[in-house]
Amino acid sequence: MRQPQLEPAAGTPQQVRIYEVGVRDGLQNEATVVPVEVKAEFVRRLLAAGLKTIEVTSFVSPKWVPQLADAEELIRLLGADGLGPDRPVLCPNDKGLERALALGVTSIAIFGSATETFASKNLNRTIAESLTMFEPVVNRAKDAGAWVRAYVSMCFGDPWEGDVPVGQVVHVARAMMDLGCDELSLGDTIGVATPGHVERLIDALVEGGIDLDKIAVHFHDTYGQALSNTLAAVRHGIGIVDASAGGLGGCPYAKSATGNLATEDVVWALQGMGISTGVDLTALVETSRWMAEYLGRPAPSRVVRALSAA
Ligand code: HMG
Ligand code: MG
């Protein structure tokens, strides 16, 4: 399979950690529930393709996200492949954490919102109430020795509220990180960010006291900007990038959210720039083609489409 020509770019990091969200963010958005055995095979294929950090599932209310109601079953089916510091799961509340810890999970993610409307739609809480819900989750997870990521959604715009001021995002991000989280992921839930905005928010967060090496970026591709925004972030010093195999994804509670940045598309770009990700592009493309065949429609990823046609 064709690979990009190697032309290293100046002033970029030597490696980037890809945080793979296809199994969680991708499959939470499918109209039908993907069988648990297919999810387990998806995780195993991603591991075989060299992805080290894979978000496996969500311990949320099954009434809210029926697509991931099989979280327990999936973790059990995966055994050691589904556990460890590099297999985070989403846990919004005590109940979710309880379910995860009972299975031996040691890595979780809480997920807040920079806007009141999305906090209400996604968590049935105000921003302040969601922080109150998260506090005991983080404390208990930390007491159990777990690693905790904090997502903040709607960092670059909100479908109901429009523009989201940078200061508002910094305020929520600080409050989430002050709970004791290890990593912050900046969610562009509806894909409206542009590169200058990305740089401005990163600078504001660093000025606000958040370490650059703790910040990850999470772009959806609704407006076709996910890759350019990600590269802007990487050139600005970000070393953790969220992406979804084949470009699967979306959020059932955010109107106009489409797929995430496709893992293949960002791996192609980074590989060409001489930035190592540890991912075997050929194996990853084959995995996304296998999943697309199962789902009955082509993968959104341009690289998967181009390499499949070649
Ligand atoms: P609520 O209705 O306010 O919760 O929802 P509640 O505490 O009143 O409980 C209601 C019922 O749910 C009760 O059951 C609870 O036991 C049950 P009942 O007594 O009615 O039978 N319940 C649970 N069951 C299992 N596991 C749990 C759990 N919690 C409650 N953890 C809640 C509040 C937070 C639970 C709900 O709003 C929820 O589950 N939201 C999750 C929504 C979600 O998963 N969205 C997608 C992920 S976020 C995303 O995609 C964005 C991201 O990718 C970044 C980006 O792109 O920006 C991360
Ligand atoms: Mg997302």
Side-chain angles (χ1 to χ4, degrees), residues 24-25 28 59-65 90 92-93 95-96 99 111 122-125 151 153 187 189 218 220 251 253:
R24 192 280 304 171
D25 208 342
Q28 78 178 8
F59 287 85
V60 296
S61 165
K63 287 180 192 141
W64 283 65
V65 186
L90 263 55
N93 57 9
K95 182 151 191 180
R99 292 170 59 204
F111 47 102
N122 200 43
L123 295 164
N124 199 22
R125 303 281 186 282
Y151 278 104
S153 287
T189 323
H218 179 106
H220 285 263
C251 177
Y253 292 101

PDB file of all heavy atoms in Angstrom, residues 24-25 28 59-65 90 92-93 95-96 99 111 122-125 151 153 187 189 218 220 251 253, ligand 1:
ATOM      1  N   ARG A  24     -15.394   4.070  20.933  1.00  0.00           N
ATOM      2  CA  ARG A  24     -16.338   4.778  21.819  1.00  0.00           C
ATOM      3  C   ARG A  24     -17.086   5.891  21.060  1.00  0.00           C
ATOM      4  O   ARG A  24     -18.287   5.798  20.828  1.00  0.00           O
ATOM      5  CB  ARG A  24     -15.575   5.337  23.033  1.00  0.00           C
ATOM      6  CG  ARG A  24     -16.444   5.833  24.176  1.00  0.00           C
ATOM      7  CD  ARG A  24     -17.039   7.196  24.003  1.00  0.00           C
ATOM      8  NE  ARG A  24     -16.040   8.244  23.754  1.00  0.00           N
ATOM      9  CZ  ARG A  24     -16.361   9.480  23.411  1.00  0.00           C
ATOM     10  NH1 ARG A  24     -17.626   9.838  23.247  1.00  0.00           N
ATOM     11  NH2 ARG A  24     -15.415  10.384  23.179  1.00  0.00           N
ATOM     12  N   ASP A  25     -16.371   6.905  20.633  1.00  0.00           N
ATOM     13  CA  ASP A  25     -17.029   8.053  19.991  1.00  0.00           C
ATOM     14  C   ASP A  25     -17.656   7.609  18.666  1.00  0.00           C
ATOM     15  O   ASP A  25     -18.733   8.076  18.276  1.00  0.00           O
ATOM     16  CB  ASP A  25     -16.002   9.172  19.746  1.00  0.00           C
ATOM     17  CG  ASP A  25     -16.618  10.570  19.749  1.00  0.00           C
ATOM     18  OD1 ASP A  25     -17.840  10.678  19.602  1.00  0.00           O
ATOM     19  OD2 ASP A  25     -15.870  11.550  19.890  1.00  0.00           O
ATOM     20  N   GLN A  28     -20.743   4.974  19.438  1.00  0.00           N
ATOM     21  CA  GLN A  28     -21.856   5.528  20.226  1.00  0.00           C
ATOM     22  C   GLN A  28     -22.866   6.227  19.322  1.00  0.00           C
ATOM     23  O   GLN A  28     -23.996   6.482  19.715  1.00  0.00           O
ATOM     24  CB  GLN A  28     -21.361   6.519  21.284  1.00  0.00           C
ATOM     25  CG  GLN A  28     -21.021   7.901  20.736  1.00  0.00           C
ATOM     26  CD  GLN A  28     -20.567   8.909  21.793  1.00  0.00           C
ATOM     27  OE1 GLN A  28     -20.349   8.560  22.937  1.00  0.00           O
ATOM     28  NE2 GLN A  28     -20.413  10.161  21.401  1.00  0.00           N
ATOM     29  N   PHE A  59     -19.257   4.054  30.523  1.00  0.00           N
ATOM     30  CA  PHE A  59     -20.133   3.562  31.590  1.00  0.00           C
ATOM     31  C   PHE A  59     -21.127   4.675  31.917  1.00  0.00           C
ATOM     32  O   PHE A  59     -21.067   5.291  32.971  1.00  0.00           O
ATOM     33  CB  PHE A  59     -19.296   3.119  32.792  1.00  0.00           C
ATOM     34  CG  PHE A  59     -18.574   1.827  32.532  1.00  0.00           C
ATOM     35  CD1 PHE A  59     -17.342   1.812  31.893  1.00  0.00           C
ATOM     36  CD2 PHE A  59     -19.151   0.620  32.879  1.00  0.00           C
ATOM     37  CE1 PHE A  59     -16.690   0.619  31.618  1.00  0.00           C
ATOM     38  CE2 PHE A  59     -18.515  -0.582  32.607  1.00  0.00           C
ATOM     39  CZ  PHE A  59     -17.283  -0.581  31.967  1.00  0.00           C
ATOM     40  N   VAL A  60     -21.998   4.932  30.952  1.00  0.00           N
ATOM     41  CA  VAL A  60     -23.021   5.967  31.098  1.00  0.00           C
ATOM     42  C   VAL A  60     -24.372   5.271  31.248  1.00  0.00           C
ATOM     43  O   VAL A  60     -24.450   4.041  31.237  1.00  0.00           O
ATOM     44  CB  VAL A  60     -23.016   6.931  29.880  1.00  0.00           C
ATOM     45  CG1 VAL A  60     -21.703   7.683  29.805  1.00  0.00           C
ATOM     46  CG2 VAL A  60     -23.276   6.196  28.569  1.00  0.00           C
ATOM     47  N   SER A  61     -25.431   6.060  31.359  1.00  0.00           N
ATOM     48  CA  SER A  61     -26.744   5.450  31.477  1.00  0.00           C
ATOM     49  C   SER A  61     -27.104   4.741  30.165  1.00  0.00           C
ATOM     50  O   SER A  61     -27.054   5.359  29.101  1.00  0.00           O
ATOM     51  CB  SER A  61     -27.767   6.533  31.791  1.00  0.00           C
ATOM     52  OG  SER A  61     -29.056   6.006  31.574  1.00  0.00           O
ATOM     53  N   PRO A  62     -27.486   3.466  30.216  1.00  0.00           N
ATOM     54  CA  PRO A  62     -27.858   2.758  28.975  1.00  0.00           C
ATOM     55  C   PRO A  62     -29.092   3.358  28.314  1.00  0.00           C
ATOM     56  O   PRO A  62     -29.309   3.178  27.129  1.00  0.00           O
ATOM     57  CB  PRO A  62     -28.117   1.314  29.442  1.00  0.00           C
ATOM     58  CG  PRO A  62     -28.265   1.376  30.919  1.00  0.00           C
ATOM     59  CD  PRO A  62     -27.562   2.605  31.402  1.00  0.00           C
ATOM     60  N   LYS A  63     -29.872   4.128  29.115  1.00  0.00           N
ATOM     61  CA  LYS A  63     -31.034   4.792  28.512  1.00  0.00           C
ATOM     62  C   LYS A  63     -30.572   5.961  27.639  1.00  0.00           C
ATOM     63  O   LYS A  63     -31.194   6.295  26.652  1.00  0.00           O
ATOM     64  CB  LYS A  63     -31.957   5.332  29.606  1.00  0.00           C
ATOM     65  CG  LYS A  63     -32.721   4.215  30.297  1.00  0.00           C
ATOM     66  CD  LYS A  63     -33.637   4.770  31.372  1.00  0.00           C
ATOM     67  CE  LYS A  63     -34.144   3.624  32.228  1.00  0.00           C
ATOM     68  NZ  LYS A  63     -34.224   3.946  33.648  1.00  0.00           N
ATOM     69  N   TRP A  64     -29.467   6.570  28.022  1.00  0.00           N
ATOM     70  CA  TRP A  64     -28.954   7.716  27.270  1.00  0.00           C
ATOM     71  C   TRP A  64     -28.166   7.265  26.042  1.00  0.00           C
ATOM     72  O   TRP A  64     -28.242   7.892  24.995  1.00  0.00           O
ATOM     73  CB  TRP A  64     -28.079   8.600  28.173  1.00  0.00           C
ATOM     74  CG  TRP A  64     -28.888   9.458  29.106  1.00  0.00           C
ATOM     75  CD1 TRP A  64     -29.689   9.026  30.126  1.00  0.00           C
ATOM     76  CD2 TRP A  64     -28.986  10.889  29.089  1.00  0.00           C
ATOM     77  NE1 TRP A  64     -30.268  10.112  30.743  1.00  0.00           N
ATOM     78  CE2 TRP A  64     -29.853  11.265  30.138  1.00  0.00           C
ATOM     79  CE3 TRP A  64     -28.407  11.893  28.308  1.00  0.00           C
ATOM     80  CZ2 TRP A  64     -30.159  12.596  30.412  1.00  0.00           C
ATOM     81  CZ3 TRP A  64     -28.713  13.225  28.581  1.00  0.00           C
ATOM     82  CH2 TRP A  64     -29.589  13.567  29.618  1.00  0.00           C
ATOM     83  N   VAL A  65     -27.358   6.220  26.191  1.00  0.00           N
ATOM     84  CA  VAL A  65     -26.544   5.743  25.053  1.00  0.00           C
ATOM     85  C   VAL A  65     -26.675   4.212  24.955  1.00  0.00           C
ATOM     86  O   VAL A  65     -25.796   3.464  25.403  1.00  0.00           O
ATOM     87  CB  VAL A  65     -25.057   6.165  25.192  1.00  0.00           C
ATOM     88  CG1 VAL A  65     -24.269   5.781  23.942  1.00  0.00           C
ATOM     89  CG2 VAL A  65     -24.931   7.676  25.420  1.00  0.00           C
ATOM     90  N   LEU A  90     -15.287   6.136  29.507  1.00  0.00           N
ATOM     91  CA  LEU A  90     -15.987   7.322  30.007  1.00  0.00           C
ATOM     92  C   LEU A  90     -16.813   6.977  31.247  1.00  0.00           C
ATOM     93  O   LEU A  90     -17.523   5.966  31.251  1.00  0.00           O
ATOM     94  CB  LEU A  90     -16.919   7.875  28.915  1.00  0.00           C
ATOM     95  CG  LEU A  90     -16.371   9.034  28.077  1.00  0.00           C
ATOM     96  CD1 LEU A  90     -15.043   8.693  27.445  1.00  0.00           C
ATOM     97  CD2 LEU A  90     -17.365   9.467  27.019  1.00  0.00           C
ATOM     98  N   PRO A  92     -19.235   9.291  33.862  1.00  0.00           N
ATOM     99  CA  PRO A  92     -19.684  10.635  34.247  1.00  0.00           C
ATOM    100  C   PRO A  92     -19.999  10.781  35.737  1.00  0.00           C
ATOM    101  O   PRO A  92     -20.004  11.890  36.256  1.00  0.00           O
ATOM    102  CB  PRO A  92     -20.969  10.814  33.444  1.00  0.00           C
ATOM    103  CG  PRO A  92     -21.507   9.420  33.279  1.00  0.00           C
ATOM    104  CD  PRO A  92     -20.315   8.506  33.233  1.00  0.00           C
ATOM    105  N   ASN A  93     -20.294   9.657  36.386  1.00  0.00           N
ATOM    106  CA  ASN A  93     -20.810   9.765  37.756  1.00  0.00           C
ATOM    107  C   ASN A  93     -20.370   8.561  38.598  1.00  0.00           C
ATOM    108  O   ASN A  93     -19.716   7.635  38.098  1.00  0.00           O
ATOM    109  CB  ASN A  93     -22.347   9.896  37.729  1.00  0.00           C
ATOM    110  CG  ASN A  93     -23.017   8.728  37.004  1.00  0.00           C
ATOM    111  OD1 ASN A  93     -22.375   7.740  36.674  1.00  0.00           O
ATOM    112  ND2 ASN A  93     -24.307   8.853  36.765  1.00  0.00           N
ATOM    113  N   LYS A  95     -22.011   6.101  39.767  1.00  0.00           N
ATOM    114  CA  LYS A  95     -22.510   4.809  39.308  1.00  0.00           C
ATOM    115  C   LYS A  95     -21.629   4.246  38.185  1.00  0.00           C
ATOM    116  O   LYS A  95     -21.309   3.055  38.159  1.00  0.00           O
ATOM    117  CB  LYS A  95     -23.960   4.941  38.834  1.00  0.00           C
ATOM    118  CG  LYS A  95     -24.545   3.643  38.402  1.00  0.00           C
ATOM    119  CD  LYS A  95     -26.033   3.577  38.592  1.00  0.00           C
ATOM    120  CE  LYS A  95     -26.467   2.127  38.384  1.00  0.00           C
ATOM    121  NZ  LYS A  95     -27.886   1.948  38.538  1.00  0.00           N
ATOM    122  N   GLY A  96     -21.246   5.120  37.256  1.00  0.00           N
ATOM    123  CA  GLY A  96     -20.375   4.689  36.163  1.00  0.00           C
ATOM    124  C   GLY A  96     -19.026   4.222  36.684  1.00  0.00           C
ATOM    125  O   GLY A  96     -18.486   3.202  36.244  1.00  0.00           O
ATOM    126  N   ARG A  99     -19.208   0.809  38.370  1.00  0.00           N
ATOM    127  CA  ARG A  99     -19.273  -0.288  37.384  1.00  0.00           C
ATOM    128  C   ARG A  99     -17.889  -0.546  36.788  1.00  0.00           C
ATOM    129  O   ARG A  99     -17.491  -1.686  36.595  1.00  0.00           O
ATOM    130  CB  ARG A  99     -20.258   0.085  36.246  1.00  0.00           C
ATOM    131  CG  ARG A  99     -21.714   0.162  36.662  1.00  0.00           C
ATOM    132  CD  ARG A  99     -22.564   0.781  35.544  1.00  0.00           C
ATOM    133  NE  ARG A  99     -22.504   0.037  34.295  1.00  0.00           N
ATOM    134  CZ  ARG A  99     -22.754   0.564  33.086  1.00  0.00           C
ATOM    135  NH1 ARG A  99     -23.094   1.834  32.958  1.00  0.00           N
ATOM    136  NH2 ARG A  99     -22.664  -0.179  32.004  1.00  0.00           N
ATOM    137  N   PHE A 111     -16.425  13.916  31.384  1.00  0.00           N
ATOM    138  CA  PHE A 111     -16.657  14.768  30.208  1.00  0.00           C
ATOM    139  C   PHE A 111     -17.608  15.902  30.544  1.00  0.00           C
ATOM    140  O   PHE A 111     -18.778  15.697  30.806  1.00  0.00           O
ATOM    141  CB  PHE A 111     -17.147  13.949  28.997  1.00  0.00           C
ATOM    142  CG  PHE A 111     -18.249  12.981  29.276  1.00  0.00           C
ATOM    143  CD1 PHE A 111     -19.559  13.273  28.932  1.00  0.00           C
ATOM    144  CD2 PHE A 111     -17.994  11.753  29.883  1.00  0.00           C
ATOM    145  CE1 PHE A 111     -20.597  12.384  29.175  1.00  0.00           C
ATOM    146  CE2 PHE A 111     -19.021  10.848  30.149  1.00  0.00           C
ATOM    147  CZ  PHE A 111     -20.314  11.163  29.797  1.00  0.00           C
ATOM    148  N   ASN A 122     -26.406  16.951  27.481  1.00  0.00           N
ATOM    149  CA  ASN A 122     -25.564  15.750  27.499  1.00  0.00           C
ATOM    150  C   ASN A 122     -25.488  15.103  28.875  1.00  0.00           C
ATOM    151  O   ASN A 122     -25.230  13.917  28.993  1.00  0.00           O
ATOM    152  CB  ASN A 122     -24.144  16.129  27.037  1.00  0.00           C
ATOM    153  CG  ASN A 122     -23.322  14.953  26.564  1.00  0.00           C
ATOM    154  OD1 ASN A 122     -23.831  14.076  25.839  1.00  0.00           O
ATOM    155  ND2 ASN A 122     -22.063  14.899  26.963  1.00  0.00           N
ATOM    156  N   LEU A 123     -25.680  15.918  29.925  1.00  0.00           N
ATOM    157  CA  LEU A 123     -25.482  15.401  31.289  1.00  0.00           C
ATOM    158  C   LEU A 123     -26.680  15.670  32.202  1.00  0.00           C
ATOM    159  O   LEU A 123     -26.650  15.284  33.373  1.00  0.00           O
ATOM    160  CB  LEU A 123     -24.228  16.049  31.911  1.00  0.00           C
ATOM    161  CG  LEU A 123     -22.893  15.715  31.231  1.00  0.00           C
ATOM    162  CD1 LEU A 123     -21.817  16.702  31.661  1.00  0.00           C
ATOM    163  CD2 LEU A 123     -22.452  14.287  31.552  1.00  0.00           C
ATOM    164  N   ASN A 124     -27.677  16.391  31.655  1.00  0.00           N
ATOM    165  CA  ASN A 124     -28.851  16.743  32.461  1.00  0.00           C
ATOM    166  C   ASN A 124     -28.459  17.559  33.699  1.00  0.00           C
ATOM    167  O   ASN A 124     -29.040  17.414  34.776  1.00  0.00           O
ATOM    168  CB  ASN A 124     -29.593  15.456  32.869  1.00  0.00           C
ATOM    169  CG  ASN A 124     -31.014  15.706  33.302  1.00  0.00           C
ATOM    170  OD1 ASN A 124     -31.597  16.727  32.936  1.00  0.00           O
ATOM    171  ND2 ASN A 124     -31.567  14.819  34.102  1.00  0.00           N
ATOM    172  N   ARG A 125     -27.444  18.397  33.557  1.00  0.00           N
ATOM    173  CA  ARG A 125     -26.903  19.175  34.671  1.00  0.00           C
ATOM    174  C   ARG A 125     -26.484  20.557  34.165  1.00  0.00           C
ATOM    175  O   ARG A 125     -26.169  20.714  32.986  1.00  0.00           O
ATOM    176  CB  ARG A 125     -25.621  18.511  35.221  1.00  0.00           C
ATOM    177  CG  ARG A 125     -25.726  17.078  35.696  1.00  0.00           C
ATOM    178  CD  ARG A 125     -26.335  17.013  37.091  1.00  0.00           C
ATOM    179  NE  ARG A 125     -26.331  15.674  37.650  1.00  0.00           N
ATOM    180  CZ  ARG A 125     -27.191  14.692  37.331  1.00  0.00           C
ATOM    181  NH1 ARG A 125     -28.116  14.890  36.410  1.00  0.00           N
ATOM    182  NH2 ARG A 125     -27.128  13.523  37.934  1.00  0.00           N
ATOM    183  N   TYR A 151     -12.479  15.691  29.520  1.00  0.00           N
ATOM    184  CA  TYR A 151     -12.892  16.277  28.242  1.00  0.00           C
ATOM    185  C   TYR A 151     -13.664  17.559  28.528  1.00  0.00           C
ATOM    186  O   TYR A 151     -14.464  17.606  29.473  1.00  0.00           O
ATOM    187  CB  TYR A 151     -13.894  15.368  27.531  1.00  0.00           C
ATOM    188  CG  TYR A 151     -13.364  14.216  26.745  1.00  0.00           C
ATOM    189  CD1 TYR A 151     -13.446  12.913  27.237  1.00  0.00           C
ATOM    190  CD2 TYR A 151     -12.833  14.404  25.479  1.00  0.00           C
ATOM    191  CE1 TYR A 151     -13.004  11.822  26.486  1.00  0.00           C
ATOM    192  CE2 TYR A 151     -12.394  13.321  24.717  1.00  0.00           C
ATOM    193  CZ  TYR A 151     -12.483  12.039  25.228  1.00  0.00           C
ATOM    194  OH  TYR A 151     -12.057  10.982  24.467  1.00  0.00           O
ATOM    195  N   SER A 153     -16.243  19.705  26.161  1.00  0.00           N
ATOM    196  CA  SER A 153     -16.909  19.796  24.855  1.00  0.00           C
ATOM    197  C   SER A 153     -17.262  21.245  24.520  1.00  0.00           C
ATOM    198  O   SER A 153     -17.299  22.097  25.402  1.00  0.00           O
ATOM    199  CB  SER A 153     -18.207  18.973  24.865  1.00  0.00           C
ATOM    200  OG  SER A 153     -17.908  17.609  24.830  1.00  0.00           O
ATOM    201  N   GLY A 187     -12.552  19.449  23.175  1.00  0.00           N
ATOM    202  CA  GLY A 187     -13.501  18.918  22.210  1.00  0.00           C
ATOM    203  C   GLY A 187     -14.075  19.994  21.301  1.00  0.00           C
ATOM    204  O   GLY A 187     -14.679  20.957  21.767  1.00  0.00           O
ATOM    205  N   THR A 189     -16.710  19.627  19.348  1.00  0.00           N
ATOM    206  CA  THR A 189     -17.795  18.656  19.191  1.00  0.00           C
ATOM    207  C   THR A 189     -18.504  18.764  17.849  1.00  0.00           C
ATOM    208  O   THR A 189     -18.922  17.760  17.279  1.00  0.00           O
ATOM    209  CB  THR A 189     -18.806  18.864  20.349  1.00  0.00           C
ATOM    210  OG1 THR A 189     -18.067  19.189  21.528  1.00  0.00           O
ATOM    211  CG2 THR A 189     -19.659  17.642  20.575  1.00  0.00           C
ATOM    212  N   HIS A 218      -9.271  17.261  20.221  1.00  0.00           N
ATOM    213  CA  HIS A 218     -10.305  16.303  19.807  1.00  0.00           C
ATOM    214  C   HIS A 218     -11.211  17.001  18.784  1.00  0.00           C
ATOM    215  O   HIS A 218     -12.156  17.692  19.137  1.00  0.00           O
ATOM    216  CB  HIS A 218     -11.090  15.897  21.066  1.00  0.00           C
ATOM    217  CG  HIS A 218     -12.216  14.944  20.857  1.00  0.00           C
ATOM    218  ND1 HIS A 218     -12.149  13.610  21.227  1.00  0.00           N
ATOM    219  CD2 HIS A 218     -13.467  15.117  20.364  1.00  0.00           C
ATOM    220  CE1 HIS A 218     -13.303  13.022  20.968  1.00  0.00           C
ATOM    221  NE2 HIS A 218     -14.117  13.910  20.441  1.00  0.00           N
ATOM    222  N   HIS A 220     -13.776  17.122  15.546  1.00  0.00           N
ATOM    223  CA  HIS A 220     -14.725  16.478  14.636  1.00  0.00           C
ATOM    224  C   HIS A 220     -14.595  17.191  13.293  1.00  0.00           C
ATOM    225  O   HIS A 220     -14.160  18.342  13.221  1.00  0.00           O
ATOM    226  CB  HIS A 220     -16.144  16.548  15.205  1.00  0.00           C
ATOM    227  CG  HIS A 220     -16.353  15.579  16.335  1.00  0.00           C
ATOM    228  ND1 HIS A 220     -16.925  14.353  16.161  1.00  0.00           N
ATOM    229  CD2 HIS A 220     -16.016  15.641  17.653  1.00  0.00           C
ATOM    230  CE1 HIS A 220     -16.966  13.705  17.317  1.00  0.00           C
ATOM    231  NE2 HIS A 220     -16.410  14.462  18.253  1.00  0.00           N
ATOM    232  N   CYS A 251     -21.744  12.830  18.161  1.00  0.00           N
ATOM    233  CA  CYS A 251     -22.279  12.794  19.517  1.00  0.00           C
ATOM    234  C   CYS A 251     -23.795  12.829  19.413  1.00  0.00           C
ATOM    235  O   CYS A 251     -24.354  13.753  18.824  1.00  0.00           O
ATOM    236  CB  CYS A 251     -21.781  13.970  20.349  1.00  0.00           C
ATOM    237  SG  CYS A 251     -22.524  13.966  21.997  1.00  0.00           S
ATOM    238  N   TYR A 253     -25.984  13.686  21.362  1.00  0.00           N
ATOM    239  CA  TYR A 253     -26.645  14.820  22.020  1.00  0.00           C
ATOM    240  C   TYR A 253     -26.205  16.177  21.478  1.00  0.00           C
ATOM    241  O   TYR A 253     -26.542  17.207  22.045  1.00  0.00           O
ATOM    242  CB  TYR A 253     -26.468  14.717  23.548  1.00  0.00           C
ATOM    243  CG  TYR A 253     -27.256  13.537  24.058  1.00  0.00           C
ATOM    244  CD1 TYR A 253     -26.628  12.338  24.349  1.00  0.00           C
ATOM    245  CD2 TYR A 253     -28.638  13.606  24.130  1.00  0.00           C
ATOM    246  CE1 TYR A 253     -27.364  11.232  24.739  1.00  0.00           C
ATOM    247  CE2 TYR A 253     -29.384  12.506  24.508  1.00  0.00           C
ATOM    248  CZ  TYR A 253     -28.743  11.319  24.818  1.00  0.00           C
ATOM    249  OH  TYR A 253     -29.496  10.235  25.186  1.00  0.00           O
TER     250      TYR A 253
HETATM  251  P1  HMG B   1     -29.806  11.499  34.713  1.00  0.00           P
HETATM  252  O1  HMG B   1     -31.034  10.995  34.026  1.00  0.00           O
HETATM  253  O2  HMG B   1     -29.806  12.878  35.272  1.00  0.00           O
HETATM  254  O3  HMG B   1     -29.280  10.464  35.819  1.00  0.00           O
HETATM  255  O4  HMG B   1     -28.600  11.376  33.679  1.00  0.00           O
HETATM  256  P2  HMG B   1     -29.837   9.995  37.172  1.00  0.00           P
HETATM  257  O5  HMG B   1     -28.713   9.980  38.127  1.00  0.00           O
HETATM  258  O6  HMG B   1     -31.102  10.753  37.533  1.00  0.00           O
HETATM  259  O7  HMG B   1     -30.268   8.486  36.851  1.00  0.00           O
HETATM  260  C1  HMG B   1     -31.301   8.151  35.944  1.00  0.00           C
HETATM  261  C2  HMG B   1     -31.271   6.656  35.647  1.00  0.00           C
HETATM  262  O8  HMG B   1     -30.049   6.311  34.979  1.00  0.00           O
HETATM  263  C3  HMG B   1     -31.295   5.793  36.928  1.00  0.00           C
HETATM  264  O9  HMG B   1     -31.916   4.574  36.565  1.00  0.00           O
HETATM  265  C4  HMG B   1     -29.828   5.527  37.173  1.00  0.00           C
HETATM  266  O10 HMG B   1     -29.601   4.349  37.911  1.00  0.00           O
HETATM  267  C5  HMG B   1     -29.295   5.361  35.759  1.00  0.00           C
HETATM  268  P3  HMG B   1     -33.470   4.283  36.913  1.00  0.00           P
HETATM  269  O11 HMG B   1     -33.563   4.417  38.403  1.00  0.00           O
HETATM  270  O12 HMG B   1     -34.248   5.331  36.164  1.00  0.00           O
HETATM  271  O13 HMG B   1     -33.672   2.892  36.388  1.00  0.00           O
HETATM  272  N1  HMG B   1     -27.873   5.698  35.652  1.00  0.00           N
HETATM  273  C6  HMG B   1     -26.916   4.862  35.215  1.00  0.00           C
HETATM  274  N2  HMG B   1     -26.947   3.592  34.791  1.00  0.00           N
HETATM  275  C7  HMG B   1     -25.774   3.042  34.435  1.00  0.00           C
HETATM  276  N3  HMG B   1     -24.577   3.698  34.455  1.00  0.00           N
HETATM  277  C8  HMG B   1     -24.515   4.972  34.865  1.00  0.00           C
HETATM  278  C9  HMG B   1     -25.717   5.602  35.275  1.00  0.00           C
HETATM  279  N4  HMG B   1     -25.989   6.840  35.725  1.00  0.00           N
HETATM  280  C10 HMG B   1     -27.308   6.887  35.962  1.00  0.00           C
HETATM  281  N5  HMG B   1     -23.361   5.616  34.878  1.00  0.00           N
HETATM  282  C11 HMG B   1     -26.275  10.944  33.238  1.00  0.00           C
HETATM  283  C12 HMG B   1     -27.277  11.760  34.027  1.00  0.00           C
HETATM  284  C13 HMG B   1     -24.930  11.608  33.397  1.00  0.00           C
HETATM  285  C14 HMG B   1     -26.258   9.519  33.774  1.00  0.00           C
HETATM  286  C15 HMG B   1     -26.738  10.913  31.737  1.00  0.00           C
HETATM  287  O14 HMG B   1     -26.919  12.229  31.327  1.00  0.00           O
HETATM  288  C16 HMG B   1     -25.766  10.232  30.832  1.00  0.00           C
HETATM  289  O15 HMG B   1     -25.551   9.015  30.894  1.00  0.00           O
HETATM  290  N6  HMG B   1     -25.139  11.016  29.900  1.00  0.00           N
HETATM  291  C17 HMG B   1     -24.125  10.495  29.004  1.00  0.00           C
HETATM  292  C18 HMG B   1     -24.298  11.079  27.628  1.00  0.00           C
HETATM  293  C19 HMG B   1     -23.172  10.597  26.741  1.00  0.00           C
HETATM  294  O16 HMG B   1     -22.596   9.544  26.952  1.00  0.00           O
HETATM  295  N7  HMG B   1     -22.845  11.388  25.693  1.00  0.00           N
HETATM  296  C20 HMG B   1     -21.804  11.054  24.777  1.00  0.00           C
HETATM  297  C21 HMG B   1     -20.425  11.159  25.373  1.00  0.00           C
HETATM  298  S1  HMG B   1     -19.794  12.814  25.415  1.00  0.00           S
HETATM  299  C22 HMG B   1     -19.161  13.078  23.821  1.00  0.00           C
HETATM  300  O17 HMG B   1     -19.356  12.293  22.943  1.00  0.00           O
HETATM  301  C23 HMG B   1     -18.261  14.276  23.609  1.00  0.00           C
HETATM  302  C24 HMG B   1     -16.767  13.897  23.522  1.00  0.00           C
HETATM  303  O18 HMG B   1     -16.523  12.994  22.449  1.00  0.00           O
HETATM  304  C25 HMG B   1     -15.925  15.163  23.318  1.00  0.00           C
HETATM  305  C26 HMG B   1     -16.426  16.071  22.182  1.00  0.00           C
HETATM  306  O19 HMG B   1     -16.543  15.607  21.035  1.00  0.00           O
HETATM  307  O20 HMG B   1     -16.690  17.221  22.502  1.00  0.00           O
HETATM  308  C27 HMG B   1     -16.283  13.221  24.811  1.00  0.00           C
END
